[in-house]
Amino acid sequence: MKLESFKQFLDYQLLDTGDGYRLEQWGPVRLQRPDPQAIWSKSLPALEWDKASAVFVGSGERGKWSKKNSVPQKWEIYFKPDVKLVAKLTPFKHTGIFAEQAANWEWMTEVVQEATRQGRQLKILNLFAYTGGASMVLTRVGHKVTHVDASKPSIGWAKENQLANKFAEDSIRWILDDAAKFAERELKRGEKYDGVIMDPPAFGHSPSGKTWKFNRDLPKLLETCVSLLSDDAKFLLINGYATNSSALSLNNILEDKISKLGGKIEFGELCLEHKIKTASNDAGGRTISTGIFARWQN
């Protein structure tokens, strides 16, 4: 099992964690956000924490942002010099960017690098694609992404990211739909993809009101997505958040569905690393787990 962290994210830093919170730098904006895993003590002095422009008080739908200083309604941050993302303060403590996913963005970029170098445009299916960090990264290196999400506001935000990166209007195929139903229709249409990304919630509803449950519905969706892979497919990635599944369970189901294709499977936890060193880990700072993943590459 791997503990995976990104190598570089230009405008993001995890400064500290502890006492139920994270202290993060998002470009020019410093934020305090709850993290129930951070049951240890803070490492940085209160002076550094007090520099936060905003603090999220509470959790989920029961919380709100308390702004100490002026925070823009939205602002741009750089993942790489040629990839920008639009950040905003949402009512659910998020910024529209899950920084730990940068580890997967780096991995995907590496997996498709040969095709990128050859100028071959791969077809990528991004399900539950949210604000489109992965869509932006793969579009930047020349591939064609079909971006699927059931939330109209999320797709609107992803289009803001497209605009911020000055991509052509037709550079990304936008689909407002239930991810599982769309995948099934694509299979019936005989469509094939060279890569599939899925980031399903633990629980959710489609635009038609159908309920999604991670443990119940993921096996069928994964089976469909494996059938959508082209003969020369490069990768398939599953992310998991706020679910009672483990990284090992994702690995097991991925093995069940994709082992006939050969290739390599990795699984583990996505992590964020402190910028600073701590007494507990003077080699590189403390690490906090943020989610689970399993991924296949051909």
Side-chain angles (χ1 to χ4, degrees):
M1 188 170 84
K2 302 186 71 170
L3 298 180
E4 190 86 337
S5 300
F6 63 76
K7 297 179 181 67
Q8 184 185 48
F9 195 136
L10 290 177
D11 280 343
Y12 173 83
Q13 291 178 328
L14 177 64
L15 302 175
D16 196 12
T17 55
D19 300 328
Y21 271 83
R22 298 185 201 174
L23 181 65
E24 300 167 296
Q25 194 72 38
W26 298 86
V29 179
R30 184 172 293 193
L31 301 175
Q32 289 187 39
R33 297 194 294 160
D35 193 318
Q37 291 188 88
I39 58 176
W40 47 86
S41 299
K42 296 171 181 175
S43 300
L44 289 178
L47 178 65
E48 291 297 324
W49 284 79
D50 290 342
K51 291 178 182 178
S53 298
V55 180
F56 193 88
V57 181
S59 61
E61 298 180 14
R62 295 183 295 276
K64 64 179 181 179
W65 287 99
S66 174
K67 298 180 183 179
K68 295 183 178 181
N69 303 310
S70 176
V71 178
Q73 183 178 3
K74 59 183 178 181
W75 69 101
E76 294 177 354
I77 67 172
Y78 283 89
F79 165 53
K80 299 293 184 187
D82 58 353
V83 178
K84 288 193 285 188
L85 300 168
V86 176
K88 305 176 191 179
L89 299 185
T90 74
F92 310 108
K93 83 176 181 179
H94 300 302
T95 63
I97 304 162
F98 287 82
E100 62 274 10
Q101 286 297 330
N104 278 327
W105 303 341
E106 290 172 340
W107 175 80
M108 286 185 289
T109 303
E110 187 174 316
V111 169
V112 302
Q113 67 179 348
E114 183 179 354
T116 303
R117 189 168 52 247
Q118 294 172 351
R120 291 166 48 213
Q121 187 178 59
L122 302 178
K123 284 178 60 180
I124 310 296
L125 179 61
N126 190 3
L127 300 174
F128 309 96
Y130 192 42
T131 58
S135 297
M136 300 308 125
V137 171
L138 289 166
T139 300
R140 174 58 73 196
V141 294
H143 304 295
K144 184 68 174 182
V145 179
T146 296
H147 177 111
V148 185
D149 201 279
S151 165
K152 190 173 182 180
S154 292
I155 288 184
W157 196 333
K159 288 182 176 180
E160 289 184 58
N161 284 326
Q162 181 190 38
L163 185 63
N165 286 283
K166 299 182 179 179
F167 294 145
E169 191 172 341
D170 63 352
S171 60
I172 299 170
R173 179 189 180 201
W174 304 106
I175 304 293
L176 176 64
D177 202 350
D178 173 86
K181 286 185 175 180
F182 176 77
E184 288 170 4
R185 287 199 301 273
E186 288 288 88
L187 185 60
K188 289 178 182 177
R189 287 189 282 255
E191 293 293 332
K192 292 291 182 180
Y193 289 89
D194 303 307
V196 176
I197 307 158
M198 62 180 81
D199 194 359
F203 180 85
H205 292 92
S206 72
S208 64
K210 182 180 178 182
T211 301
W212 163 273
K213 292 184 179 180
F214 189 93
N215 288 346
R216 181 192 69 191
D217 298 322
L218 179 63
K220 180 65 171 66
L221 174 60
L222 181 55
E223 185 175 318
T224 301
C225 289
V226 170
S227 297
L228 283 170
L229 291 173
S230 68
D231 291 340
D232 192 33
K234 303 303 180 187
F235 71 88
L236 185 146
L237 167 67
I238 312 170
N239 290 300
Y241 288 98
T243 169
N244 57 7
S245 291
S246 64
L248 185 59
S249 69
L250 291 188
N251 173 72
N252 291 346
I253 188 173
L254 189 54
E255 283 184 339
D256 272 355
K257 304 299 183 183
I258 211 167
S259 59
K260 62 183 179 182
L261 300 183
K264 174 185 176 184
I265 294 176
E266 299 175 330
F267 68 100
E269 299 182 12
L270 292 176
C271 301
L272 292 171
E273 295 179 355
H274 283 201
K275 174 190 174 185
I276 64 164
K277 297 179 181 180
T278 66
S280 64
N281 186 354
D282 60 10
R286 179 165 278 155
T287 300
I288 185 168
S289 174
T290 58
I292 57 176
F293 72 89
R295 59 200 189 193
W296 168 87
Q297 71 179 88
N298 190 5

